[in-house]
Amino acid sequence: MNAQDMLSTPINLDFYLLNDLLSDDERALVARVRTFVDTELLPVINDYWERAEFPMQLVPRLAELGIIGTTIEGYGCPGMSRLAAGMVALEMSRGDGSINTFLGVQSGLSMGSINLLGSEEQKQRWLPQMATLDKIGAFALTEPDHGSDSVALETTARLDGDHYVIDGHKRWIGNGHIADVVVLWARDVADNKVKAFIVEKDAAGAYPHGYVPEVITGKVGKRAILQADIRIDGLRVPVANKLAYAESFRDASTVLAATRSGAAWEAVGHATAAYEAAARYAMERIQFGKPIAAHQLVQNKLANMLTELTAMQLICFRVAQLADLGQLTGPMSSLAKMHTAQKGRWICSSARDLLGGNGLLLDNHVARHLTDMEVVHTYEGTDFIQSLLIGRDITGISAFR
C-alpha cells in the first residue's frame, strides 16, 4: 500500500459492528449529533477552551438537536433509550468533554433529580423549560470537604415558617454561576436527613440573597465548562421548592447511580477521538522516508488502543441494555465507570505519545481530550471509590469504614 492509499484509508472505529444494534431512528440521531459536532462544535471549541469560556452561542443549536432530557419521557423530553442517550454522550464527548458535561448536568443531574424525586406539579413547573434550554440547570451536592464522602455533607436546612433557611458551602458545581434552576442538597436539621431544594433566579435573573457563586479558575481540563464555588448564607427557599420525594441521601445516590454510566460513555467518546486522531496521524506523518504507521511498534500501539476502545464500547453497550431492562445494578455501573476511565485515560495518553510534540497542540485536539479525561477519571466517583464499591459487592465487606 502506498502513502496515498494510506491517507485515504478510513479509520474503523466500530470493529465489532456495534452500530448495527442501533435502530434506524437511533442511527439518524447519532448522525445528527455527529454533524453538529463536526460542523459547529469542533471549529470553535479550541478557542473557548483556551480562554476558559463557555460557548453560549451553541446553546440554541443544542436545544434544536432534540436531545435535552435524554431518557426522560414527557415534559418536552425525547424519551430516548439508554443506548441512544449513551451514543449521544459518546458523540458529544468525541467533540468536547465540556459540552458533554454541560448536557450531562442539564439532562442527567438537574432534570434527572426533578424527574425522579419531584412531584407532578414540580415536574410540570420546571422540566418543559429545561428541555428547551430556556432554563439552565445545576446540581449542587459536592462540598469543599466532602466529595467522595458527600454523604457527610454539612450544608444545613432549617424550616422557618413557609421557607427553609439554608447555610453552607458547595464547590465544583457545573453551571452553578449561571443556572436558572439549582438542585441544592442540604441536611435538614429537624431529622438530620439529606434533602433537595430548588434555588431559582428571580424575574430579573438574579439569585436570591444568600446564594453567592464564584467561578473556579486555573483548571487544566474541562476548561469550556465553568464550575462554581458557592457560599450559602441565610438563603431562603420556599417550602414548595423542596423536591417532594427527596428524603434521604439514598435519593441522591439514586440520581448519581442513574448518571454514572454517562461518565463511562464520555470516556469512550474521548478515547474514540484520541484513537482516530492517532491513527490518521500515523498514516500521514512521514519520518525516515515512510509513514510512521509502517513501523511495527506503531502498529502494535494502534492495535492495543483499538482493542481497549472496543472493550470499552462493549461494556457500555451492555450497560445500556441492562439499564433498559431494569437490571443494571450500582456495582455494574461502577465497573463500567472504573474500566472506561482507566482505559480512556491510557488511550488518550498513547495518542499524545504517537503525535509527539504535535500532540501538545490544541489544533490536533488530542491534548484537550487527554486533560478532559483526567477530569472524567475523577468525577462520578474516582477509580479508588469505584473499586471499593465493586469490592464490597465481591466480598460483602465494606472497606469504607
Side-chain angles (χ1 to χ4, degrees):
M1 181 182 292
N2 61 37
Q4 186 58 44
D5 291 333
M6 287 183 177
L7 290 176
S8 61
T9 300
I11 305 302
N12 185 0
L13 301 172
D14 185 19
F15 208 70
Y16 278 177
L17 308 180
L18 293 174
N19 283 333
D20 290 354
L21 301 177
L22 302 178
S23 68
D24 289 343
D25 287 345
E26 288 169 338
R27 275 191 285 271
L29 173 64
V30 169
R32 188 164 72 246
V33 175
R34 185 175 298 165
T35 297
F36 165 80
V37 166
D38 290 342
T39 62
E40 300 185 56
L41 175 57
L42 284 175
V44 303
I45 193 59
N46 282 339
D47 289 339
Y48 282 97
W49 194 94
E50 192 166 17
R51 297 197 306 267
E53 296 177 4
F54 180 75
M56 289 298 297
Q57 71 184 63
L58 295 179
V59 169
R61 283 291 294 120
L62 288 169
E64 291 170 4
L65 289 175
I67 59 175
I68 309 303
T70 57
T71 61
I72 297 173
E73 296 184 1
Y75 314 102
C77 299
M80 301 176 192
S81 68
R82 299 304 195 284
L83 182 55
M87 291 298 294
V88 166
L90 186 162
E91 291 296 331
M92 203 62 72
S93 303
R94 174 184 153 268
D96 181 65
S98 295
I99 303 303
N100 184 65
T101 294
F102 171 81
L103 294 172
V105 169
Q106 180 78 9
S107 298
L109 291 173
S110 54
M111 293 178 71
S113 295
I114 295 168
N115 184 59
L116 287 171
L117 305 173
S119 66
E120 183 60 30
E121 187 277 331
Q122 289 172 329
K123 295 177 188 180
Q124 294 286 354
R125 179 178 171 187
W126 289 304
L127 290 179
Q129 292 184 81
M130 297 178 79
T132 57
L133 286 177
D134 289 312
K135 288 190 180 294
I136 292 173
F139 180 88
L141 174 64
T142 301
E143 298 180 355
D145 295 327
H146 301 288
S148 296
D149 72 335
S150 53
V151 64
L153 65 84
E154 298 179 50
T155 299
T156 61
R158 171 177 55 83
L159 185 61
D160 180 25
D162 57 358
H163 284 74
Y164 281 91
V165 180
I166 302 179
D167 297 284
H169 192 180
K170 297 294 182 180
R171 189 165 174 82
W172 296 113
I173 309 306
N175 303 334
H177 66 300
I178 59 169
D180 304 286
V181 177
V182 181
V183 180
L184 176 65
W185 295 85
R187 190 176 302 280
D188 188 342
V189 298
D191 59 9
N192 204 38
K193 295 292 183 64
V194 173
K195 301 174 183 179
F197 307 85
I198 301 296
V199 179
E200 296 181 275
K201 286 182 175 177
D202 61 25
Y207 289 116
H209 176 76
Y211 181 97
V212 184
E214 181 177 351
V215 171
I216 298 170
T217 60
K219 296 188 302 175
V220 299
K222 293 290 183 91
R223 288 175 58 79
I225 177 73
L226 305 183
Q227 280 91 11
D229 183 275
I230 305 169
R231 299 282 181 174
I232 304 164
D233 184 13
L235 170 66
R236 297 183 67 83
V237 176
V239 169
N241 282 28
K242 176 195 167 294
L243 286 185
Y245 304 110
E247 295 294 342
S248 72
F249 188 80
R250 184 180 298 274
D251 298 314
S253 296
T254 299
V255 176
L256 294 174
T259 61
R260 185 165 291 136
S261 60
W265 281 103
E266 179 179 348
V268 178
H270 289 301
T272 299
Y275 169 73
E276 183 176 19
R280 291 196 185 283
Y281 184 86
M283 289 187 285
E284 297 170 4
R285 178 65 167 173
I286 307 299
Q287 291 286 280
F288 305 105
K290 59 184 178 181
I292 63 173
H295 294 282
Q296 292 180 357
L297 286 176
V298 173
Q299 291 191 14
N300 176 269
K301 179 68 77 173
L302 290 172
N304 278 281
M305 292 168 71
L306 178 60
T307 299
E308 297 296 1
L309 176 61
T310 302
M312 293 166 68
Q313 294 169 342
L314 287 165
I315 286 175
C316 285
F317 267 69
R318 182 56 177 159
V319 162
Q321 291 172 339
L322 290 168
D324 279 331
L325 292 170
Q327 297 176 356
L328 183 67
T329 66
M332 290 176 183
S333 294
S334 291
L335 189 150
K337 199 304 183 155
M338 184 179 74
H339 180 83
T340 55
Q342 290 174 348
K343 300 308 181 181
R345 198 183 194 190
W346 178 80
I347 290 172
C348 288
S349 178
S350 295
R352 218 295 295 162
D353 285 346
L354 283 174
L355 267 69
N358 289 325
L360 300 173
L361 298 175
L362 286 178
D363 284 350
N364 292 319
H365 299 295
V366 170
R368 178 164 49 79
H369 289 289
L370 174 63
T371 55
D372 282 358
M373 260 310 306
E374 289 298 316
V375 181
V376 179
H377 193 260
T378 299
Y379 70 24
E380 294 284 356
T382 64
D383 184 83
F384 291 135
I385 294 299
Q386 303 302 343
S387 69
L388 295 182
L389 292 170
I390 299 166
R392 182 175 63 188
D393 190 69
I394 294 169
T395 66
I397 302 170
S398 175
F400 287 100
R401 293 185 177 86

